[in-house]
Amino acid sequence: MAGVLDSVNQRTQLVGKNRLELLMFRLRGRQMYGINVFKVKEVLQCPKLSSIPNSRSVVRGVAHIRGETIPIIDLSMSIGLPGIPQEDLATSFVIITEYNRKTQGFLVAGVDRIMNMNWEDILPPPKGAGKDVYLTAVTKIDDKLVEIIDVEKVLSEVSPLKEDVTEAVLSKSADRVPGHLPILVVDDSSVARRQIERCLTAIGMEVVTKNDGKQAHEYLKDITRDGSKARDHLALIISDVEMPEMDGYTLVTRCKEDPALSEMFIMLHTSLSGVFNRAMVQKVGADDFMAKFSPDELAERVMEIIDQG
């Protein structure tokens, strides 16, 4: 337990400083990719895989690791590249990750190193890259382009989440008084923005979306430029944590330091979960935290927050 707490303390030193640790890896070829270390539970040589009948081709099999049966997804195939050849599996690696309350392994050709970086150096994909691109951000390390894959998009295609609010929850929203202020949703993943917006509009909420913390902060400063408070314009903010240019932790910190924004209710809604994230949420002063993605849970929590004023 002491080791876990030490690790939490070490990680929380990055919180509110707009920094992250990026695990670098390769798929096929020389292009380098990155994934936030917070998502990574373990990296290991590719274990023996057992095939799953009728599974998607991108799922190369399952591995039995530390008492868990974990699906292993060929990350190359999932973004439209040729998969890792069967004969190369023994020399490949698996990155065990936790996203959206689920554990899965990503098969990669090789892992490189961990880089401590500033989110300001992590930029959105180039404009014109297209809506079907599997990138959520890019950066440069040693003058080489590093691509950060939109893992939520990958997982939504490999193992789709239930996105619709159930009738039981919708019936609760039907009894509520309409006309509430909009909700600001901040997320760099187009898939996540769509999922959250669909959930909130189903319960009668108006939604404003922004792609990252920097965009959201500029929007908040703009609507309060006349001397008003952010809570005069918005019911609450739902923000992702991992975002280029300004992460969700830093967005919370900036808001809580600004008198015009400090009274705004902010929920961090993230695919990160576990003890690390809860410690960080407490440190930056966010009002609530929810792991992605349960439409019923999100809808009910939002109605509860709004009804409490």
Side-chain angles (χ1 to χ4, degrees):
M1 177 58 75
V4 172
L5 293 177
D6 288 344
S7 188
V8 170
N9 290 334
Q10 180 183 352
R11 293 285 187 262
T12 54
Q13 298 311 307
L14 301 177
V15 176
K17 298 180 180 177
N18 213 34
R19 300 194 69 83
L20 78 157
E21 290 181 321
L22 208 59
L23 173 65
M24 316 288 292
F25 63 90
R26 288 178 292 102
L27 298 177
R28 306 234 6 221
R30 301 174 64 181
Q31 175 62 49
M32 197 68 74
Y33 298 87
I35 185 173
N36 192 335
V37 169
F38 280 129
K39 298 284 181 70
V40 178
K41 297 177 72 174
E42 189 175 1
V43 179
L44 65 160
Q45 201 87 35
C46 183
K48 182 180 179 182
L49 302 181
S50 303
S51 61
I52 310 175
N54 302 318
S55 66
R56 293 172 179 260
S57 59
V58 299
V59 180
R60 300 294 291 267
V62 295
H64 302 283
I65 301 169
R66 310 200 193 293
E68 269 191 282
T69 300
I70 299 173
I72 306 300
I73 299 167
D74 190 319
L75 201 49
S76 298
M77 293 178 70
S78 67
I79 63 171
L81 300 176
I84 292 177
Q86 189 71 25
E87 61 270 19
D88 292 342
L89 289 184
T91 57
S92 300
F93 290 83
V94 169
I95 303 174
I96 306 296
T97 65
E98 185 178 350
Y99 279 85
N100 299 343
R101 314 183 191 203
K102 294 182 180 178
T103 299
Q104 54 279 306
F106 291 121
L107 180 67
V108 302
V111 292
D112 187 70
R113 54 187 158 144
I114 291 176
M115 292 290 295
N116 187 309
M117 300 191 67
N118 195 310
W119 273 111
E120 291 176 357
D121 298 324
I122 311 293
L123 304 175
K127 289 183 179 179
K131 65 177 182 178
D132 294 325
V133 69
Y134 285 88
L135 297 183
T136 189
V138 296
T139 190
K140 269 196 170 183
I141 296 177
D142 299 334
D143 291 326
K144 293 180 181 177
L145 183 71
V146 176
E147 299 180 354
I148 300 173
I149 295 171
D150 187 347
V151 176
E152 289 178 80
K153 179 176 172 64
V154 169
L155 294 177
S156 73
E157 295 175 358
V158 175
S159 179
L161 292 168
K162 183 177 78 70
E163 296 186 7
D164 293 322
V165 180
T166 62
E167 287 298 326
V169 176
L170 288 176
S171 65
K172 296 178 186 178
S173 70
D175 299 331
R176 300 171 67 251
V177 178
H180 297 288
L181 292 171
I183 294 174
L184 175 60
V185 172
V186 192
D187 203 302
D188 63 322
S189 169
S190 59
V191 168
R193 287 196 304 273
R194 187 200 72 225
Q195 289 171 337
I196 300 167
E197 187 169 10
R198 182 170 175 170
C199 168
L200 297 179
T201 53
I203 58 171
M205 300 304 304
E206 183 183 341
V207 179
V208 177
T209 61
K210 296 298 173 185
N211 294 4
D212 57 60
K214 184 179 178 183
Q215 277 190 19
H217 190 247
E218 289 172 352
Y219 169 76
L220 291 167
K221 295 294 287 183
D222 189 53
I223 63 174
T224 56
R225 210 173 298 280
D226 60 358
S228 60
K229 304 275 188 173
R231 63 188 176 92
D232 298 328
H233 305 271
L234 298 166
L236 71 147
I237 299 171
I238 300 175
S239 176
D240 188 21
V241 169
E242 293 183 285
M243 296 179 289
E245 300 199 274
M246 183 190 292
D247 69 4
Y249 296 130
T250 305
L251 175 62
V252 173
T253 300
R254 298 272 176 90
C255 288
K256 296 304 180 182
E257 291 173 347
D258 188 331
L261 312 179
S262 60
E263 296 174 8
M264 200 70 242
F265 190 104
I266 305 176
M267 175 198 290
L268 289 176
H269 184 241
T270 170
S271 54
L272 293 166
S273 58
V275 63
F276 296 124
N277 203 50
R278 291 191 178 278
M280 293 171 183
V281 167
Q282 187 175 13
K283 181 172 179 177
V284 298
D287 299 286
D288 204 356
F289 159 78
M290 185 176 289
K292 291 178 181 176
F293 174 70
S294 166
D296 279 2
E297 198 174 306
L298 180 61
E300 290 195 291
R301 183 66 184 118
V302 165
M303 288 189 289
E304 182 184 330
I305 292 166
I306 289 173
D307 290 345
Q308 289 175 350

